[in-house]
Amino acid sequence: MTLRTKLLLALAPMAAVLALFGVASVTAISTLGRSPGLILKDNYRSVLAAERMLQALDALEASALRLATRRPQGPDVAAPWQRFESELQVQEHNITERGEAEVTRRLRQAWSEYRVTYRRLADAPAEGRLGTYFEALEPAYRAVQAAEGELLALNQDAMASKAERARRTAERNGAAVMVATAAGLAIGLFVSLTLTARLLGPLGALARTVRRIGEGDLDARVTVEGKDEIAALATEFNTMANRLADYRSSSLGELLQAQQASQAVIDSLPDPVLVLDAAGAILNLNGAAETTLRLGAGGTTPALSALDPALRAVVERVRAHVLSGKGAYVPRGFEEAVRIDSPEGGRHLLPRASPLYSEEGGVAGVTIVLQDVTRLMRFDELKNDLVATVAHELRTPLGSLRMAVHLCVEEAAGTLTEQQADLMLAARQDCERLQAIVDDLLDLSRIQSGRMTLEVGRVEASALVLEAEATLRSAADAARITLSAAPAATPLEVRGDPERARLVLANLLANAIQHTPPGGSVEVRVAATGEAARFEVRDTGEGIPREHLDHVFEKFYRVPGTRRSGVGLGLYIAREIVAAHGGAIGAESEPGKGSTFWFTLPLAQRQPTAA
């Protein structure tokens, strides 16, 4: 017997229970479904006809009263006659209850008498109509009304009686379904559990054997009798266990060789490499790490606590970044390099990290490569010195060139033609742009060499905003952009270097004006937020894609696809100046909806007032 057959036999009792339950349920539902239909079919039409006849009779009675009192009739006097006659004919063809035919016959007779009396009233002289109404028509009206009331009560009583019978039938069917369900469920569960237990016995033995092999006992085997699929699976499992045991005995040397090869690859790297587990313990390291970081000396087990404190802090920060699920760690620049003392002298190490994943997909450890960037940083310093020297040497000839171009534009050296004037104006604009680039390069050299000094004092924040707005007003007007300033509602003093703060605001405003199309608007504002003042520059320009927001403050970075201007140093210099003040800077943007650049400066401490 195959496993499929056994499974079908185990499920057969439950299938029988479901079939029994389905038959009982369908029968009960069918009975309940027919009961309301019978009630509506037999009696509801008669009740509806009786109510409509009453409404028509009331309308006729009102018409007769107006006729008797010599008041004008309504627009449609014939409609109630037709409606009453139509509903009476419906009732005459819907006789369903005992005694209903006799009541309907009396209603027809009373209606005929009412019609005759109504015509008498209509044909009577105007002076005698009121007497005819009370003496003849009113009794005829009462007779018709009584017959209709009897007909209505007869059908309503029948409906109530049928509803009660339907309720009792529903209770009986519900009890029958519950009994059938309980009995079938008990029998089905008993038989199914018995068959399932016999079916799962071999599977339990197979699971126990798998557990033993998972624990390392490759000599464990499972014995299952029979010719079904489980027996075939047990045979194949035993074959797999035999081959696994043979493979372990033959591949142990290969595994050791692979481990030695991987260790040789790590040791061949010139930069220190650390492999850490999730708890921070060192699992592996290469020879460069042992030599440069002085780990594992004297045969001791290497530990992070033996690292230089500054380097240990960097390693912990990088490890926390990777273990938090943020992926590999890539440094932003040489400013993240940490200096250590090594046998070869001072070294600058730049950390990079990659996660180690477990078989379940979780982060089980971290591989950290401490790249030696000592020579690269030296080259970077030389490059910065060269840039600073060139920028400094350019200032004097550039100043002379600007003055000469300015004098020519002002026609101090003679009258210019229109074409010459246009060329000189373009040359002056290029000179101004070149002067801004030189100034940015000089600021960059001062920042990177640590020679940027701040003359910190108390500065009125609103004055900074208004001065920046006034300085960039002409540029905004030339670009047909609305520039506005929103100073703080109350006096707000910050602690900072006024010249550097103005430079930051000017850079942000110039950047906003440059990337806002004509007809747009730029707003600069300031407000207190906690212990700092928050300056904001909002524009309605082209916006910045989300993937570029984290890089706009980097050195020489320009968003692809935007209008080119400068060398990409303005936002970087602004970031360094704000950081030197102990503040923060950031940007918020959405493509097509503009951008908001902000930075904070600490508030000046208020002096205590004298008592």
Side-chain angles (χ1 to χ4, degrees):
M1 185 179 297
T2 63
L3 180 61
R4 177 180 299 176
T5 304
K6 292 181 179 179
L7 289 174
L8 291 176
L9 290 176
L11 295 175
M14 295 303 299
V17 170
L18 290 176
L20 179 62
F21 177 74
V23 171
S25 300
V26 169
T27 302
I29 292 172
S30 177
T31 303
L32 292 175
R34 289 195 301 271
S35 298
L38 292 175
I39 296 173
L40 295 175
K41 177 182 177 181
D42 294 344
N43 303 105
Y44 180 71
R45 190 67 188 89
S46 295
V47 171
L48 187 61
E51 291 179 346
R52 290 175 178 174
M53 284 188 288
L54 283 173
Q55 294 174 0
L57 184 62
D58 290 339
L60 290 173
E61 187 66 10
S63 177
L65 184 59
R66 287 194 297 270
L67 186 62
T69 56
R70 290 183 285 183
R71 288 185 292 172
Q73 296 292 321
D76 191 4
V77 181
W81 294 99
Q82 296 172 0
R83 188 162 63 249
F84 192 101
E85 182 63 30
S86 174
E87 296 298 334
L88 181 56
Q89 290 177 6
V90 170
Q91 171 57 31
E92 289 174 341
H93 291 85
N94 192 47
I95 306 299
T96 59
E97 302 298 330
R98 181 182 302 176
E100 189 175 1
E102 177 64 23
V103 175
T104 304
R105 185 186 60 77
R106 289 202 304 271
L107 177 59
R108 167 61 73 176
Q109 182 178 358
W111 168 244
S112 299
E113 294 175 357
Y114 181 83
R115 295 179 63 180
V116 173
T117 306
Y118 193 96
R119 292 194 187 96
R120 277 175 47 198
L121 174 66
D123 295 338
E127 296 80 3
R129 288 178 182 173
L130 191 59
T132 303
Y133 174 80
F134 285 108
E135 292 174 2
L137 188 62
E138 183 67 18
Y141 166 75
R142 298 298 179 190
V144 175
Q145 191 180 46
E148 287 181 340
E150 186 176 355
L151 179 64
L152 183 61
L154 178 65
N155 281 278
Q156 287 178 340
D157 292 342
M159 291 176 67
S161 176
K162 290 178 181 179
E164 178 62 23
R165 288 199 302 271
R167 185 188 63 79
R168 291 196 297 269
T169 301
E171 291 178 353
R172 289 195 301 271
N173 289 340
V177 170
M178 291 180 62
V179 172
T181 302
L185 185 61
I187 296 173
L189 281 176
F190 175 76
V191 177
S192 296
L193 289 176
T194 302
L195 295 178
T196 303
R198 295 183 58 185
L199 180 64
L200 295 180
L203 291 177
L206 184 61
R208 289 190 294 272
T209 305
V210 170
R211 188 181 305 110
R212 289 177 58 189
I213 290 181
E215 294 172 352
D217 184 7
L218 298 184
D219 295 329
R221 300 294 183 270
V222 62
T223 303
V224 177
E225 298 179 357
K227 297 182 180 181
D228 57 8
E229 289 83 353
I230 296 181
L233 177 62
T235 302
E236 295 297 330
F237 179 81
N238 291 334
T239 302
M240 180 197 69
N242 293 331
R243 293 178 179 176
L244 186 60
D246 295 340
Y247 178 78
R248 184 175 68 173
S249 60
S250 62
S251 62
L252 183 59
E254 296 178 1
L255 291 175
L256 292 175
Q257 183 178 2
Q259 182 181 7
Q260 293 173 356
S262 62
Q263 184 64 42
V265 170
I266 296 176
D267 288 338
S268 66
L269 296 176
D271 298 320
V273 178
L274 299 175
V275 181
L276 311 178
D277 61 11
I282 297 178
L283 300 178
N284 198 1
L285 71 166
N286 64 349
E290 293 179 352
T291 303
T292 305
L293 308 181
R294 300 173 185 176
L295 291 175
T300 59
T301 302
L304 289 181
S305 58
L307 293 175
D308 181 81
L311 180 60
R312 184 169 66 250
V314 171
V315 170
E316 290 290 352
R317 176 170 55 84
V318 172
R319 185 177 69 88
H321 172 92
V322 175
L323 293 179
S324 63
K326 298 179 180 178
Y329 179 84
V330 179
R332 292 183 299 177
F334 291 144
E335 62 270 13
E336 296 190 28
V338 59
R339 187 183 185 282
I340 64 168
D341 294 327
S342 68
E344 293 81 11
R347 295 286 188 90
H348 290 86
L349 303 179
L350 190 64
R352 298 177 180 270
S354 300
L356 297 177
Y357 296 102
S358 62
E359 295 180 359
E360 294 78 14
V363 180
V366 183
T367 298
I368 300 177
V369 178
L370 300 172
Q371 182 183 3
D372 190 348
V373 294
T374 305
R375 294 183 62 191
L376 295 177
M377 290 186 66
R378 179 56 183 162
F379 291 151
D380 191 62
E381 291 176 1
L382 294 175
K383 179 195 68 175
N384 293 334
D385 292 342
L386 176 62
V387 169
T389 301
V390 171
H392 184 76
E393 293 298 326
L394 283 175
R395 292 190 70 177
T396 300
L398 181 59
S400 300
L401 180 61
R402 289 176 62 200
M403 180 60 67
V405 171
H406 178 74
L407 291 176
C408 290
V409 169
E410 297 297 329
E411 298 184 349
T415 304
L416 300 177
T417 65
E418 182 178 354
Q419 184 176 10
Q420 290 172 340
D422 292 339
L423 291 174
M424 296 308 297
L425 286 174
R428 184 168 67 176
Q429 291 177 355
D430 288 339
C431 286
E432 295 296 336
R433 191 165 66 89
L434 184 58
Q435 181 64 48
I437 293 175
V438 170
D439 292 341
D440 286 344
L441 291 175
L442 290 174
D443 288 336
L444 174 65
S445 65
R446 282 192 290 268
I447 289 172
Q448 293 186 333
S449 63
R451 290 184 286 106
M452 184 181 69
T453 58
L454 299 178
E455 297 182 3
V456 179
R458 302 170 69 93
V459 186
E460 175 57 43
S462 297
L464 290 176
V465 168
L466 294 175
E467 290 175 8
E469 186 262 346
T471 302
L472 275 297
R473 168 63 62 185
S474 59
D477 293 340
R480 290 181 293 152
I481 294 173
T482 302
L483 178 61
S484 60
T490 58
L492 189 66
E493 287 189 338
V494 296
R495 184 168 177 79
D497 186 330
E499 292 299 326
R500 301 296 182 181
R502 292 190 191 98
L503 177 60
V504 173
L505 275 174
N507 280 340
L508 297 183
L509 277 174
N511 189 64
I513 293 172
Q514 176 189 350
H515 295 284
T516 300
S521 62
V522 175
E523 181 186 23
V524 55
R525 59 171 54 203
V526 63
T529 56
E531 298 297 325
R534 179 184 172 101
F535 297 82
E536 291 185 356
V537 176
R538 300 181 180 179
D539 64 64
T540 58
E542 57 204 28
I544 303 172
R546 185 180 299 274
E547 62 270 18
H548 297 291
L549 273 179
D550 295 336
H551 304 285
V552 294
F553 293 100
E554 295 178 3
K555 185 169 49 177
F556 301 116
Y557 187 85
R558 289 182 292 189
V559 178
T562 58
R563 288 173 289 180
R564 301 282 178 171
S565 178
V567 292
L569 289 176
L571 293 179
Y572 171 78
I573 293 172
R575 185 189 72 177
E576 295 300 319
I577 291 175
V578 171
H581 281 82
I585 192 170
E588 302 167 1
S589 182
E590 186 174 349
K593 295 185 178 180
S595 306
T596 298
F597 283 81
W598 59 267
F599 68 94
T600 61
L601 294 179
L603 292 176
Q605 296 181 356
R606 297 178 179 177
Q607 299 295 334
T609 57

